[in-house]
Amino acid sequence: MSGLLEDCLEQGARELGLELSRDKMAAFRIHYEIMAEENRKHSLTSIMGEKEVAVKHFIDSMTCLKVLDLEKEYVVDLGTGAGFPGVPLKIIRPRIKLLLVDSAKKKVEFLADLIKKIGLEKTEARWDRAERMGGSSEYREKAEIVVSRAVASLNALAELCLPLVKVGGMFLAMKGPGAEEEMKTARKAIDLLGGTVERVERFRLPLIPEERSLILIRKTAPTPERYPRRPGIPAKRPLV
Ligand code: SAH
């Protein structure tokens, strides 16, 4: 099947220097259809048309590859919602080990179904809160890479994500045009939690004139034991 979704994906991916095989295209089509079906039942995401989904969800997720060379790392997508950016990254780089995390049960059920229908291997969907995982020995400082999009302000997000990253690993925050401002407010939190900003990449999305920023933070020291604080506190009283 070749529709508007496929055309936009092909063009957007090409602009990012990526090539999409027939199998990868088919996986994106499945993801799109399951999302559309879910949206008809109860609203899952606000973005709907094929072009919008192709660019604002799939292509936007792929932009992580501008700053990360994913091969077979253990990647956690924190607050993944309908699977962004984790699922597109897994489709493009099938050798990664992926953990999709969300605190909303409905979304995790959707993700489990999606994983099965696309046939993603080494991929798990977990219903949990970042704050709880950050305090558990099973997840604390285990991920090589943690990515997150549209979950919280950077200072709150740092407290949710950095505790999960191994020392030497990376935390990638996907942000819009306001990244510089957020970074100013988050500098102290990032430092306190053991992170160091390594690179900030600003660019425009292919096909839709919107600005994005990728903030790449390396975990350079262990996170002090008192972080993350209790569920809800990082967003309510972000570190400043
Ligand atoms: N990353 C997706 C979804 C963004 S919406 C995208 O960009 O499309 C934010 C999601 O983060 C919601 O699904 C919400 O349930 C989840 N979330 C918010 N706080 C969380 C926390 N502390 N732990 C785990 N998930 C969280």
Side-chain angles (χ1 to χ4, degrees):
M1 179 180 197
S2 186
L4 184 56
L5 184 85
E6 286 76 9
D7 290 346
C8 295
L9 280 174
E10 197 184 325
Q11 200 181 329
R14 199 184 319 123
E15 280 189 42
L16 295 173
L18 300 167
E19 228 180 285
L20 299 181
S21 65
R22 200 183 274 262
D23 286 356
K24 293 188 195 317
M25 278 293 188
F28 286 118
R29 172 55 72 177
I30 295 172
H31 193 166
Y32 174 81
E33 294 298 340
I34 300 180
M35 261 171 61
E37 189 189 313
E38 191 69 17
N39 258 327
R40 281 191 288 271
K41 285 188 262 169
H42 22 242
S43 117
L44 180 76
T45 58
S46 50
I47 305 168
M48 268 301 274
E50 296 202 3
K51 179 177 180 184
E52 254 80 19
V53 173
V55 178
K56 294 191 184 179
H57 284 324
F58 297 146
I59 298 291
D60 189 37
S61 296
M62 290 177 212
T63 64
C64 293
L65 297 167
K66 281 175 174 287
V67 299
L68 287 175
D69 270 330
L70 292 183
E71 277 177 51
K72 42 190 289 194
E73 290 85 354
Y74 173 27
V75 179
V76 174
D77 179 5
L78 205 286
T80 186
F84 305 110
V87 171
L89 290 174
K90 174 73 186 177
I91 292 171
I92 303 286
R93 294 281 185 265
R95 278 154 34 108
I96 62 170
K97 177 181 160 191
L98 178 64
L99 179 60
L100 302 162
V101 178
D102 206 282
S103 54
K105 192 170 188 199
K106 195 179 84 186
K107 297 199 174 156
V108 175
E109 286 165 357
F110 166 88
L111 292 165
D113 184 45
L114 179 69
I115 290 168
K116 227 189 296 158
K117 289 197 172 128
I118 305 184
L120 298 175
E121 291 170 359
K122 290 194 294 175
T123 303
E124 201 191 308
R126 183 176 175 81
W127 177 36
D128 208 343
R129 288 199 65 119
E131 297 92 324
R132 262 195 285 277
M133 292 172 73
S136 97
S137 58
E138 200 183 339
Y139 295 104
R140 188 181 177 87
E141 303 195 324
K142 295 289 189 291
E144 290 167 288
I145 294 168
V146 176
V147 291
S148 192
R149 183 182 86 157
V151 173
S153 63
L154 187 59
N155 49 356
L157 193 63
E159 188 172 351
L160 301 180
C161 294
L162 275 170
L164 300 170
V165 184
K166 265 186 184 175
V167 174
M170 291 292 192
F171 159 40
L172 177 61
M174 303 182 71
K175 290 289 178 184
E180 305 291 331
E181 269 317 300
E182 284 200 48
M183 274 180 30
K184 275 187 214 154
T185 341
R187 214 164 271 284
K188 262 206 186 140
I190 292 168
D191 185 56
L192 191 62
L193 295 158
T196 306
V197 176
E198 191 157 290
R199 187 171 161 192
V200 182
E201 186 84 12
R202 288 186 73 144
F203 56 93
R204 268 164 181 263
L205 282 182
L207 297 157
I208 288 178
E210 283 189 14
E211 219 172 283
R212 295 286 188 271
S213 309
L214 295 171
I215 306 172
L216 188 62
I217 296 168
R218 190 179 287 278
K219 180 95 171 240
T220 46
T223 298
E225 221 171 288
R226 62 183 178 283
Y227 301 113
R229 291 166 293 167
R230 281 181 293 117
I233 304 295
K236 203 158 103 195
R237 286 193 278 116
L239 298 167
V240 281

